Amino acid sequence: MDKSVMPKVFSSHHHWYSATLDSLKTVSSTTKSDKDKTSVPEVIYTYENAMHGFSVALSSKDLQTLQKMPGFVSLYPDRSVEVDTTHTTSFLSLNSVAGLWPASNYGSDVIIGVIDSGVWPESNSYKDDGMGEIPKRWKGKCEPGEEFDASMCNRKLIGARYFNKGLIAETPDLIISMNSARDTDGHGTHTSSTAAGNYVEGVSFFGYANGTARGVAPRARIAVYKVLWDEGSFASDVIAGMDQAIADGVDVISISMGFGRYTPFYEDPIAIASFAAMEKATLTLGNGLVIAGWSLYPIDQLLRAVPLVYNETLTACNSSDLLSKFAERAIVICKDVQKSYNWELYYSTQDYSVGQSTVSGAIYVLNEPHSLYQELDYFHYPGVIINSTDRAKVINYAKSTTEPKVTIKFQQTFVGGEPAPFVAKYSSRGPSRIHPGILKPDLIAPGTKVLAAWVPNKLTSIIGRDTQLSSNYNMIQGASMACPHASGVAALLKGAHPEWSPAAIRSAMMTTANPLDNTNKTIKDNDGLVPATPLDIGSGHINPNRALNPGLIYDVGTQDYGDLLCSMNLTHEQFLTITRTSSYNCSNPSSDLNYPSFIALFNKTSTVQEFTKTATNVGSGASTYRANIIQPNGTRVTVTPKKLLSFTVRIKDRKQRAGYFVSGSFTWIDGEGKHRGRSPIVVMDA
């Protein structure tokens, strides 16, 4: 559900969801002899942290009605869970002499939430010998149930909950054999003790592997969330467990399960609950207005009902003395940055001044509604960035009352922002410096604030002046982050089409890439805030699902690459260095590689260039393709013949361009409109 459209009359998301279902009054009959009766579907779970939504048992008719209601986003059926396996500490090369264990004090006071089949609390791995007091931030509990009471938790096993409402909804008459957090399968006990079990000496498997057993983080705390049952396991219960783990305050979620290889990301509860496109903070004004801003302040901090200060004499947050004078222990609204100003310098200057002052935090304003600030790498002090659209709302509120207040909640993640994607400032631009005759880049892929595993003994963030933080995961950016996205898609395509060559895979990825963002406009270039060109994005943003079935591919063989190298006036040594053999025949050198993009380079004497290409039909059955051409300004592009498979593209340039370039495209479209193979065109001076 889209929680942002929840009417203010509702006190909570649960109230809203329940009221939504109350309107779905339907008539149902359980047996032929029963009288018709009115039934209201009941909420099974409501989700607030892992996602915004709820699980419910509905009829097909009610389902159709629900889809038309305000706030509805998407739905998918509950599905069964498939269990995966874990690994051992020896494989990770953990030791007490150097590395992660001593650097992290063996995970002291880290809370690991294990989403699995429960726990066997009597195991020696859950003894709390050597464990200090439970962290005060812990909000969870030890939930009693069958053969399980609250006394079974301790300073090691600090929480235990269980979730099976989804399972019961699937089979209402089901009798749960162990209706508690107690593990009857063994999988949950194995995974949780592997993650953070305490030291147990003299352990062996019937004499094998004798020694001391301990978890990866033996001094960490364990909280278990039982969602896997002997009678079955369903996604709705898994989401409920993850949702509760987040609410309870776990630091790490360990979840060794999945939902099948064919489950798309938008229907995978684990992917939905874990995925982060960008980090934000929520800013709530005293009048109830909620604004989503941007922040990477790395502490789970809540600044609640703090005084809000907007002082027009405070022209910028670049003086710690003035900040302390006008906004002591308050949130200050800083002056917005001008279009021509260096944003990174502006932010770092004000962030430093805020840190040296006595203010509680700051609200920074970017004068353009775009995502340049998302490339910032740090927030040393509590702060949030808002756009110029929201600026007036905040300032108007600050002026409207004698005691304005604001609440800022950090460490929240939202997805689905617009516009996206955009080309980052650091992204490599074309044309190719090595061989301008081939249009580069090929395409673009995600590379900004990508979350992935990290070495835990290396600096990842700084709080205040000198408090350094480390993390097992980090969010960084660069072309190096975009590359593995493209590599992964290529690997998937190779698995689906093992007969395809590397060139065919590249072709499929390029001709199906999307030049438009999620607002259906041309992707923007963050370096100048102008529409991106093929020299910025190539064919566009990678689209994995479309690349699976491109319809047409442009293949390239080894001799074709050899012909290209032959045309580049390389020395024999240079040629041999690349090819590692002299067997290539250079009798027919050609720079016209069978590439799925075009760049025409003209000098003062040339006015026409021709490209000969061959496209191969890899679709199902015979198809007829016709060309759709978008002419670059001031040029004439013709394709002969108008139908495939071998064809010639002729580009005639009508004028000299004095260094600037124009772009267009042509697209092969099959007769049924199922396949569209798009190729960008760039025309520029040589």
Side-chain angles (χ1 to χ4, degrees), residues 84 157 162 300 314 331 417 457 595 617 633 637:
D84 296 330
L157 180 62
Y162 58 100
D300 186 8
L314 190 63
I331 300 295
N457 54 357
Y595 218 76
N617 182 14
N633 186 33
V637 179

Side-chain angles (χ1 to χ4, degrees), residues 438-444 493 503-515 537-543 546-547 550 554 595-598 676-680:
I438 296 179
L439 177 58
K440 290 292 179 178
D442 289 340
L443 44 74
I444 60 173
L493 291 174
I505 292 174
R506 177 186 59 219
S507 172
M509 294 164 65
M510 290 177 63
T511 60
T512 59
N514 192 352
I537 64 173
S539 298
H541 194 268
I542 194 168
N543 190 329
R546 283 197 60 210
Y554 295 79
Y595 218 76
S597 61
F598 300 85
R676 301 173 63 90
R678 180 181 175 276
S679 294

Side-chain angles (χ1 to χ4, degrees), residues 87-110:
H87 298 279
T88 64
T89 56
S90 60
F91 180 78
L92 300 176
S93 301
L94 292 171
N95 65 87
S96 59
V97 177
L100 181 56
W101 263 354
S104 65
N105 194 22
Y106 302 89
S108 177
D109 281 349
V110 174

Side-chain angles (χ1 to χ4, degrees), residues 244-460:
Q244 189 62 58
I246 297 170
D248 287 348
V250 304
D251 298 306
V252 177
I253 290 180
S254 176
I255 181 166
S256 300
M257 65 190 73
F259 294 87
R261 67 176 68 181
Y262 298 110
T263 303
F265 284 129
Y266 53 83
E267 293 186 5
D268 187 332
I270 297 176
I272 295 171
S274 306
F275 178 74
M278 58 182 174
E279 197 77 18
K280 295 187 177 181
T282 300
L283 182 152
T284 305
L285 303 181
N287 60 0
L289 179 64
V290 178
I291 295 173
W294 165 268
S295 181
L296 283 179
Y297 186 60
I299 297 298
D300 186 8
Q301 183 173 351
L302 175 64
L303 300 176
R304 186 185 297 276
V306 179
L308 176 65
V309 172
Y310 176 69
N311 192 313
E312 294 182 355
T313 63
L314 190 63
T315 57
C317 296
N318 53 12
S319 169
S320 58
D321 291 337
L322 289 177
L323 286 169
S324 298
K325 178 180 179 181
F326 289 109
E328 183 179 9
R329 302 190 183 284
I331 300 295
V332 63
I333 304 172
C334 296
K335 179 183 177 183
D336 54 325
V337 62
Q338 299 303 310
K339 295 180 180 180
S340 60
Y341 203 84
N342 184 311
W343 164 253
E344 293 176 343
L345 177 61
Y346 160 86
Y347 172 75
S348 62
T349 300
Q350 304 211 37
D351 178 63
Y352 178 80
S353 298
V354 167
Q356 302 302 309
S357 71
T358 59
V359 303
S360 297
I363 298 173
Y364 305 97
V365 182
L366 187 63
N367 204 31
E368 286 290 336
H370 68 89
S371 302
L372 177 63
Y373 50 82
Q374 294 177 12
E375 296 178 28
L376 289 173
D377 290 325
Y378 61 89
F379 278 73
H380 292 175
Y381 304 95
V384 59
I385 300 171
I386 63 175
N387 60 39
S388 56
T389 303
D390 293 325
R391 174 183 184 271
K393 301 175 185 177
V394 178
I395 293 177
N396 289 341
Y397 164 70
K399 291 180 176 180
S400 67
T401 179
T402 56
E403 295 184 356
K405 304 286 185 180
V406 64
T407 296
I408 300 179
K409 179 69 172 69
F410 297 97
Q411 289 197 355
Q412 298 185 89
T413 300
F414 304 93
V415 298
E418 296 179 349
F422 57 86
V423 184
K425 289 184 65 177
Y426 59 76
S427 184
S428 300
R429 281 17 182 230
S432 169
R433 271 62 171 177
I434 300 174
H435 187 68
I438 296 179
L439 177 58
K440 290 292 179 178
D442 289 340
L443 44 74
I444 60 173
T448 298
K449 291 292 180 287
V450 175
L451 179 67
W454 194 251
V455 289
N457 54 357
K458 186 177 181 181
L459 173 68
T460 57

Side-chain angles (χ1 to χ4, degrees), residues 535-592:
L535 294 182
D536 305 314
I537 64 173
S539 298
H541 194 268
I542 194 168
N543 190 329
N545 290 330
R546 283 197 60 210
L548 178 64
N549 186 13
L552 300 172
I553 57 171
Y554 295 79
D555 210 350
V556 180
T558 54
Q559 183 59 53
D560 299 314
Y561 289 116
D563 293 341
L564 174 65
L565 293 173
C566 292
S567 70
M568 296 176 63
N569 297 319
L570 302 176
T571 65
H572 176 73
E573 290 76 14
Q574 292 169 336
F575 187 91
L576 191 62
T577 299
I578 299 171
T579 64
R580 306 183 311 280
T581 178
S582 301
S583 62
Y584 282 93
N585 182 357
C586 279
S587 61
N588 187 30
S590 174
S591 61
D592 187 8

